[in-house]
Structure formats: C-alpha cells, structure tokens
C-alpha cells in the first residue's frame, strides 16, 4: 500500500491556495461546466437523436478532462469506447427503430421526478465520497504522470484483482446477453430454396401441439 | 520557440492534408481509366488533365448549397465537418521520418489514431439521419453496422503490432521494426488493411453508398461544397489508412539511408498502398450486405485472433 501511495505521488494536503488557480485548473473547471451543460441538455431535450449527439459532446468533454489530468491513455480509450462505439450503437438503435426528425412529444415519462431524485441522490453520494476521500490533497500533474506506462503499471501491478473481477463481470454480462437474445422455443428449420419459412412452421406446429 | 514549432508542424500537416488526398484522387482518375482501357481526364490544365480535381473543386464551390426542407438543418450542416476533421487530427499523429518527423508525437499513438478515426463515422450517421430521406437513412444504418463489425478486427490487428513492439507510440513501433516482422505480422497487415478499407466504405465494401440501390447512401441529399467535403474525407481516409498500414506493418521509414531519405520511403509505401486501394476498386464487385458482415465476423476476427496468438507465442519465445 505504501508503494502504491508513493507511486500515486504525494497526497499530502497542499500548501496551496484555492484563490490563485493555474491556467490548467481554470480550463478544467470550464470544460467541466460545459460537460455538465451538455449532459443536462442531453436528458432534457425532446429530440431523440439530438439527445444522443449531446451525449457525444458530454463524453468528449470528459475525455478532455482526462487529458487535462495528463491521463492520455484513459482519454483515448474514453473516445474509442464511448464516442466510437457506444454512441454509434445508440444511434444505430435509434435509426433502426424510430428516429423522427423534430420533437417527439412522447419522449417524456411520468417517472421523471423519480429519475431526478435517484440521479440527485447518486450524484450526492459520489460527490460526498470523492470529496471526503481526497479533501484538499493535490496530485502532481507533471507530464507523464498518467502515461500509458504508468497506467499499465497501476492496472497490472496494484489493481490486478479488481481488473480481473471486472472482466469476469463483463463476461457474465456477455453470456447473459446471449441467453436473453435466444428464444428458448427451439430453432426453426433453416429456410431452403423453393420452400417458404411460413409453410414449414405451420406444417410443424400441429405435430408439436399433439406431442404435448 | 516551442509554440512556433508546434504551429509550424500543424501548418505542415494541414498542407499535407489538403494536397495528398487530391493527389490520390487524381491518381484514381488516371489509374482507373487506364485499367478500363480509357484515357481519363486529358484537357484540364493541359498536361494529361493534371488540374482536373482543381476544376472539380471550383465547380463544387459554385454550386448551390441546398438543404432539404424536411431536414434537421443544424445537424445536416455540421455533418461534413464531423466526417472530415478526424482525418486531419489523425494525420497529425502519423510519423513520416525518424527523429521527430511527425506532426505531434503522442504517447498512446495507436489508441489516439483508432479512437479519432472512429468519430468520423458519426459524420455519416448524422448526415444519414438528418437528410430526412429513406435512402440516406438506409445508408446511415449500413454505415453504422459496417463500422461496428470492422472496428474490432482493426483494433485486434493493431494490438498485435503494439504487442510485438512493446509500445503503443507510433514512432516507437517504427523504431522497433525489423525486416522479419513482415512475415510475422503478415496476417495482421491483411486484416488491418481490409478492415480499414471497410471503414472507408471503399469498394468492394461500399454497400453503404451503393449507388445502384440507394443512390449515394447518407450523402444523397448533399450538394456543392458540403458534398465535396465528404468526398475529400474519403480520399483523406485513403491516405490515412495507407499511411497507418505503412507505419504499423511495412516499417515506415525503414529502407536505404533511413536518416536522410526516411520520409521518401514512408511516402512511397503509402502511395503504393493507395494504388492497391484503387486497384481493388476496379477489380472486385461490391459485396452484398450479409456477405460483408459474414466476412468480418467469420474471417477477419478469427484471423486477427490467430495473429494475436502468434505474436504472443513468438514474443515470449524470443524474449
């Protein structure tokens, strides 16, 4: 643990004042405000696809925050996974099902107050936790502190167990998704040339009901 | 001084970004024409029609900029920029020669490049949705499906090179290159280049813009300069994918006299690959949508995994 603390740099309360922020901190705060704004617009807009695109802005802003904290590798992974894959998947789903241009009046839910309460509660928990954990400690943001090498060393030297546990969790999610997406009714025969799928199904159905 | 240096590098990258795609485009005109027994452009500019693309650009700039009345105007207008800018950013990170001959040296270069290239597809999706046209929507859908299938083998192939070199920085990978990497990483090179072609929606993977069925996919409603920007992003994409394959798999600046002529070898290899891209367009018919998906999931991904295992085994054996 002491090695970890040493590797993470000094977490001592800093002999620094909050009243004279550096340029980096000012930019960090500004980007943070932009991310918050984009996130709020993303959940309040009535236009479905615009919500997904505002999500792009919010997640991209988060990547910029990681960059400002010198965690370059994490920033690019954020862009790769969230912007490149998750948002594309969301847009794909929207376009595949329904993606009206303009406002969709039914994009509203009676649960929105409950959702707001849950969101505020979880945000309050996280903020309290983080503030209590770090208080007024300063992390050294010298160049290279969050480089790929440093990140790799943290992940595979100090945090191997959580990392592997997470991958097991993802595997479980993957298997679950496969199980959910297969319907348990048994497979239909593959359609052959010159034979309609519907005809095959109706021919088989009476036999199956007789068996039961 | 430092700021000036950065600015100069950015300007040089911008110039390369504006010139190289045009060169590739002109080459495509002429190479395709000669492969099909034609002459191609012969008049613009005098000598073998060298100014054809300049003339095209002037023509595009003069056309009326039309936004369909049912379209989502703002997203419709932003889409070409979202499609084009990522390639400019990627070009910034591709090393051309040894000793810092690169736009900006980025620590996690491979990740940067692949991540930013993935954003470009958002441009096609935005264009496809915002046009309020069923052909555009179909094209956007196909684009998304194709991207999601082909990004995985591309990442796996790139990961194999990163494993072999022991670094994720692009100049670092070229530094670590030896000639015997060519046979060692051959499968990965094939997978990467093919998946890159598919991400660019170049023939034979041009189902999303299949002109004989869905007009021009996501770009159907675009005219004038915005349409030209989409075309430019396709050719910039060819430069970027060829350049990346060169850097990752063909040894970048390695060749005779790498210190003085390194940039020349990188450019030559890049253009050789761009020629292959054009050649494939002329040679192969378009893959059907299901063939396209099956090719990604049942051929490219297993091949990429085989390459990853091979890289791991040999890496452990020689270290």
């Amino acid at each position: 643990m002491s090695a970890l603390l040493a590797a993470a740099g000094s977490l001592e309360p800093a002999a620094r004042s909050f009243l004279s922020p550096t340029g980096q901190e000012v930019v960090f705060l500004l980007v943070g405000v932009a991310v918050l704004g984009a996130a709020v617009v993303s959940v309040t807009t009535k236009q479905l696809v615009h919500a997904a695109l505002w999500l792009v802005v919010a997640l991209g802003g988060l990547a910029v925050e990681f960059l400002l904290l010198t965690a370059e590798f994490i920033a690019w992974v954020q862009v790769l996974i969230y912007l490149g894959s998750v948002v594309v998947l969301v847009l794909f789903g929207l376009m595949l099902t329904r993606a009206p241009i303009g406002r969709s009046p039914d994009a509203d839910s009676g649960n929105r107050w409950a959702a707001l309460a849950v969101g505020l509660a979880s945000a309050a928990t996280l903020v309290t936790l983080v503030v209590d954990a770090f208080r007024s400690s300063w992390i050294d943001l010298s160049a290279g502190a969050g480089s790929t090498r440093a990140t790799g060393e943290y992940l595979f030297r100090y945090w191997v167990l959580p990392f592997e546990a997470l991958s097991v969790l993802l595997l479980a999610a993957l298997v679950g998704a496969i199980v959910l997406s297969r319907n348990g009714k048994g497979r239909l025969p593959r359609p052959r040339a010159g034979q309609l799928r519907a005809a095959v199904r109706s021919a088989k159905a009476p036999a199956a009901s007789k068996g039961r | 001084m430092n700021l000036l240096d950065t600015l100069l590098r950015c300007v040089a990258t911008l110039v390369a970004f504006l010139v190289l795609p045009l060169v590739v485009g002109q080459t495509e005109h002429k190479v395709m024409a000669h492969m099909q027994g034609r002459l191609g452009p012969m008049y613009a500019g005098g000598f073998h029609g060298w100014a054809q693309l300049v003339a095209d650009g002037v023509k595009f700039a003069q056309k009326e900029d039309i936004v369909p009345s049912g379209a989502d105007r703002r997203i419709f207008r932003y889409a070409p920029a979202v499609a084009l800018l990522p390639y400019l950013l990627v070009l910034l990170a591709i090393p051309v020669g040894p000793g810092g001959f690169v736009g900006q040296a980025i620590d996690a270069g491979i990740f940067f490049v692949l991540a930013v290239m993935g954003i470009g597809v958002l441009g096609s999706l935005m264009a496809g949705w915002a046009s309020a046209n069923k052909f555009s929507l179909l094209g956007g859908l196909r684009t998304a499906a194709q991207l999601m299938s082909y990004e995985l083998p591309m990442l796996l192939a790139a990961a194999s090179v990163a494993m072999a070199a022991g670094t994720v920085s692009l100049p670092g990978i070229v530094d670590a290159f030896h000639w015997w990497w060519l046979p060692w990483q051959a499968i990965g090179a094939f997978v990467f280049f093919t998946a890159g072609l598919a991400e660019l929606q170049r023939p034979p993977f041009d189902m999303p813009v299949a002109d004989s069925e869905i007009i021009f996919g996501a770009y159907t409603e675009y005219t004038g300069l915005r349409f030209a920007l989409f075309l430019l992003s396709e050719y910039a994409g060819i430069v970027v994918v060829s350049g990346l394959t060169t850097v990752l798999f063909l040894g970048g600046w390695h060749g005779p006299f790498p210190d003085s002529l390194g940039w020349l070898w990188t450019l030559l290899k890049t253009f050789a690959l761009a020629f292959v891209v054009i050649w494939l367009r002329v040679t192969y018919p378009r893959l059907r949508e299901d063939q396209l998906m099956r090719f990604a999931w049942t051929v490219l991904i297993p091949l990429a995994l085989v390459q990853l295992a091979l890289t791991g085994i040999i890496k452990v054996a020689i270290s």
Side-chain angles (χ1 to χ4, degrees), chain A residues 72-195:
Chain A
E72 209 182 284
F73 178 75
I74 310 280
W76 303 136
V77 170
Q78 162 95 7
V79 173
L80 184 70
I81 304 292
Y82 284 92
L83 263 65
S85 307
V86 171
V87 173
V88 170
L89 202 62
V90 168
L91 281 176
F92 183 61
L94 277 179
M95 286 162 81
L96 202 58
T97 49
R98 47 181 307 188
I101 285 180
R103 292 162 174 277
S104 14
D106 56 341
D108 221 343
S109 162
N111 295 333
R112 62 178 182 275
W113 297 113
L116 184 67
V118 171
L120 281 181
S122 53
T125 315
L126 277 177
V127 168
T128 322
L129 188 72
V130 170
V131 166
D132 194 48
F134 292 101
R135 297 262 168 206
S136 62
S137 60
W138 291 79
I139 293 174
D140 185 26
L141 289 185
S142 58
S147 66
T148 316
R149 173 175 291 276
T151 312
E153 275 172 5
Y154 286 145
L155 266 186
F156 293 105
R157 202 159 287 169
Y158 306 115
W159 300 102
V160 180
L161 193 63
F163 183 80
E164 293 298 329
L166 264 183
S167 54
V168 172
L169 182 72
L170 285 180
L171 185 68
L174 200 67
V175 174
I178 292 172
V179 170
L180 281 180
S181 62
R182 290 172 56 137
N183 53 355
K185 294 272 173 64
R187 276 178 235 149
L188 289 173
R190 290 183 63 156
R192 299 250 169 81
Q195 199 177 8

Side-chain angles (χ1 to χ4, degrees), chain B residues 144-252:
Chain B
Q146 186 161 326
L147 171 91
M148 281 187 292
S149 310
Y150 281 89
E151 190 151 306
L152 189 58
M154 202 174 177
L155 271 175
L156 288 174
S160 148
V161 189
M163 254 168 77
T167 172
V168 286
S169 122
L170 290 175
I173 287 174
V174 187
D175 266 335
F177 183 83
H178 294 285
W179 65 268
W180 48 270
W181 281 28
L182 283 179
W184 183 23
Q185 302 290 341
I187 306 174
F190 167 75
V191 171
F192 187 88
F193 190 62
T194 317
L197 271 188
E199 287 217 359
L200 295 179
Q201 302 162 17
R202 290 285 300 177
F205 303 104
D206 63 337
M207 202 67 200
V209 292
D211 50 355
S212 48
E213 356 176 330
I214 51 172
I215 325 272
F216 207 58
Y219 320 128
T220 303
E221 294 286 358
Y222 280 86
T223 55
L225 217 48
R226 288 179 206 281
F227 182 71
L229 288 183
F230 275 121
L231 278 189
L232 185 64
S233 75
E234 180 178 337
Y235 288 97
I238 296 179
V239 173
V240 163
V241 165
S242 307
L244 273 180
T245 315
T246 303
V247 166
L248 293 178
F249 296 97
L250 299 183

